[in-house]
Amino acid sequence: MTIQTRSRRRGGGRAGAAQRRGDAVIEQLPWSIPQVIDPPIEPLPPEGVAAIHDGAMRILEEIGIVFLNDEALAIFKEAGCKVDGNIVYLDRDFVMEMVAKAPSEFTITPRNPERVLPFGGRNILFGNVSSPPNYWDLSLNAKVPGNREQMRDLLKLTQYFNCIHFAGGYPVEPVDIHASVRHLDVLFDKLTLTDKVMHAYSLGKERVEDVMEMVRIAAGLSDEEFEAKPHMYTNINSTSPLKHDEPMIDGCLRLARRGQAIVVTPFTLAGAMAPVTMAGAVAQSIAESLSAIALFQYVRPGIPCMIGTFTSNVDMKSGAPAFGTPEYMRSTQMTGQMARFYDLPMRSSGVCAANVPDGQAMWETSNSLWAAVQSGTNMVYHSAGWLEGGLIASPEKFVMDCEVIQHIQRYLQPQITATRGEDIALEAIREVGHDGHFFGTQHTQDRYSTAFYQPFLSDWRNYEAWEAAGGVWTAERAHHVYKEIVGSFEAPAMDDAIREELAAFVERRKAEGGAPTDF
């Protein structure tokens, strides 16, 4: 189907507007920290884990990693590592000693302490789409450059949905704001429109330092309180193959020295930026991750670090990135095994290559989200709103993805598989016997409203009823939900004095020129 706005006869229900229940636009699951209760899928036998580990260590020892950062090179020399120009060769014993210093579990506390997030263990946390330069929604039916208004709408969805735990990077890049001050306006919006955990782009010292200061102000913390535990994080990508660049390493070092969390996520596309075999791509990704984590642990032992995976494949016909593929799923599961081998929390993503919120978008995203569950992922980036391999953010896709995430969260609730006497329901079975039904039993009546997951977006009517109600397709229903959420949005509370201090900081830094750019 070509998705477009159309004139349809309306028959009520969800055809003309999002379904309201009481004062809420939709009935959603409450805020919670989901946990993966099933054993993770482990496609690698023990000798496979050993082989990938040995491959990663040989990459570090024999081929080396380029660090385009003079400070990092000096630190590695101080640590006794071999440095040849900008190539660092890391002995496996040193790497394993450093990685062992990273905590296997930690928390990040945002300005609202009720939104504190635990990373590691069995916890799985979902975040919004981050960093697309373009935007698409049903009313436009076109791909356009992102702007601040669109970015703010996506932040409102980030805050509204309880299944979204953290606000990652910019949900769409607001290119209508000059790059020198963009981070100031965006962080002000993020800190006032949401109260969830957020991050800083490691793109120059000014941006990193400004964001840390704004997060500190928004939480009402002293410098000492801010540095005492993580209140935010950064996520960096290596420049595959086998390279870390200047600003990302610089930003991580700055956050590490102030006690904030770091996620290292190589972006390795098998067949292009990594070997065509998934074992080779994963081994390269592991080497790139661990080289940076070893650096940060040497600088500040015990700083929270996560190993990230963004290993997928390219379309060998066109060279275009592919996501949500069988290879993507397996590489995520394989990296999960390796993360557990190193006792590090892991980040993966909810991604697709589709251009609009259609069937392809949902099966590819669903594949990647379920791979996150199967792998034991702790932090799922880009969980809601991602299109075109990360080049487009869409509010309809955001809403549709949140339906999938809620399915996953319900799936993980242990009460579904409970086996107490009341769950076996022998008396209800006896009461109904051989010829009755269970609709009218007390057992059913006591549980009918909570027994099964109730979707907010799916339409379970038969074709005739659906057609009579306007024949509204899923993306259109999602569009109505998005519009109602944004239209009725109320920002989380913030102390007036803190808001004024935050605004004053933004204005001062703008007057000082913000961050240098190449423009």
Side-chain angles (χ1 to χ4, degrees), residues 111-127:
R111 72 176 181 89
N112 179 0
E114 294 182 4
R115 303 283 198 181
V116 63
L117 296 181
F119 292 84
R122 291 182 172 268
N123 302 303
I124 181 168
L125 306 167
F126 298 88

Side-chain angles (χ1 to χ4, degrees), residues 14 18-21 25-29 160-161 163 399-408 410-411 448-461 474 477-478 481:
R14 282 172 285 189
Q19 185 176 11
R20 283 185 174 274
R21 294 176 174 88
V25 175
I26 61 170
E27 187 174 285
Q28 59 174 319
L29 296 179
Y160 178 86
F161 278 101
C163 64
V399 173
M400 293 162 71
D401 288 337
C402 284
E403 180 78 278
V404 177
I405 296 167
Q406 285 208 154
H407 276 262
I408 291 171
R410 171 59 176 168
Y411 173 87
Y448 78 93
S449 63
T450 58
F452 310 125
Y453 175 75
Q454 290 297 309
F456 65 84
L457 193 60
S458 298
D459 191 329
W460 288 347
R461 293 173 289 194
T474 308
R477 296 197 299 274
V481 171

Side-chain angles (χ1 to χ4, degrees), residues 164-204:
I164 300 299
H165 298 96
F166 61 92
Y170 309 165
V172 69
E173 192 81 21
V175 297
D176 56 333
I177 307 174
H178 194 272
S180 62
V181 296
R182 187 178 300 163
H183 67 289
L184 297 166
D185 284 336
V186 173
L187 259 293
F188 182 83
D189 289 343
K190 289 179 74 173
L191 288 165
T192 54
L193 292 175
T194 79
D195 61 1
K196 298 180 179 180
V197 165
M198 61 189 58
H199 111 309
Y201 287 110
S202 287
L203 296 174

Side-chain angles (χ1 to χ4, degrees), residues 217-492:
I217 291 170
L221 302 172
S222 66
D223 287 329
E224 293 75 16
E225 290 169 331
F226 176 78
E227 295 175 12
K229 63 182 180 181
H231 296 278
M232 56 176 288
Y233 71 96
T234 191
N235 175 82
I236 65 165
N237 303 118
S238 49
T239 307
S240 301
L242 306 179
K243 192 182 286 96
H244 287 287
D245 69 14
E246 162 69 33
M248 291 196 178
I249 294 298
D250 175 81
C252 289
L253 290 172
R254 291 177 185 277
L255 266 75
R257 289 179 171 124
R258 296 196 68 187
Q260 305 307 301
I262 299 166
V263 185
V264 183
T265 309
F267 183 10
T268 48
L269 287 175
M273 299 143 64
V276 72
T277 54
M278 300 317 295
V282 170
Q284 178 185 309
S285 175
I286 295 294
E288 292 176 4
S289 292
L290 295 186
S291 64
I293 292 172
L295 170 67
F296 307 141
Q297 293 303 318
Y298 180 82
V299 169
R300 181 157 177 170
I303 192 69
C305 287
M306 298 182 69
I307 191 168
T309 176
F310 212 79
T311 299
S312 192
N313 57 286
V314 295
D315 176 3
M316 297 305 288
K317 296 178 182 178
S318 67
F323 296 101
T325 63
E327 293 80 11
Y328 177 93
M329 296 179 73
R330 281 306 197 190
S331 69
T332 303
Q333 295 164 359
M334 292 160 71
T335 307
Q337 278 187 267
M338 301 310 298
R340 287 186 292 280
F341 177 80
Y342 300 115
D343 202 20
L344 290 170
M346 190 177 91
R347 171 238 147 145
S348 65
S349 299
V351 288
C352 69
N355 298 310
V356 293
D358 59 5
Q360 177 188 338
M362 298 316 296
W363 74 61
E364 290 177 351
T365 303
S366 185
N367 282 350
S368 60
L369 289 173
W370 279 106
V373 175
Q374 296 163 350
S375 67
T377 288
N378 303 113
M379 181 187 207
V380 190
Y381 239 65
H382 309 301
S383 301
W386 163 294
L387 287 172
E388 201 198 359
L391 296 178
I392 295 175
S394 162
E396 290 86 3
K397 177 66 162 37
F398 197 113
V399 173
M400 293 162 71
D401 288 337
C402 284
E403 180 78 278
V404 177
I405 296 167
Q406 285 208 154
H407 276 262
I408 291 171
Q409 292 192 0
R410 171 59 176 168
Y411 173 87
L412 296 175
Q413 291 177 354
Q415 55 263 43
I416 296 178
T417 54
T419 55
R420 299 163 301 178
E422 61 192 79
D423 301 304
I424 301 300
L426 189 61
E427 291 308 312
I429 296 170
R430 192 190 315 278
E431 177 185 344
V432 171
H434 304 92
D435 301 313
H437 61 74
F438 288 84
F439 284 115
T441 66
Q442 191 61 48
H443 186 271
T444 299
Q445 292 298 307
D446 291 342
R447 296 164 177 78
Y448 78 93
S449 63
T450 58
F452 310 125
Y453 175 75
Q454 290 297 309
F456 65 84
L457 193 60
S458 298
D459 191 329
W460 288 347
R461 293 173 289 194
N462 63 25
Y463 183 89
E464 289 76 18
W466 169 79
E467 185 178 42
V472 181
W473 286 47
T474 308
E476 294 178 89
R477 296 197 299 274
H479 180 78
H480 296 310
V481 171
Y482 137 64
K483 284 294 188 181
E484 286 224 19
I485 290 171
V486 169
S488 60
F489 180 80
E490 294 183 10

Side-chain angles (χ1 to χ4, degrees), residues 3 7 12-13 71 120 157 302 340 360 411 443 485 493 495 498:
I3 301 178
S7 296
E71 183 182 8
L157 295 179
R340 287 186 292 280
Q360 177 188 338
Y411 173 87
H443 186 271
I485 290 171
D495 182 83
I498 287 178

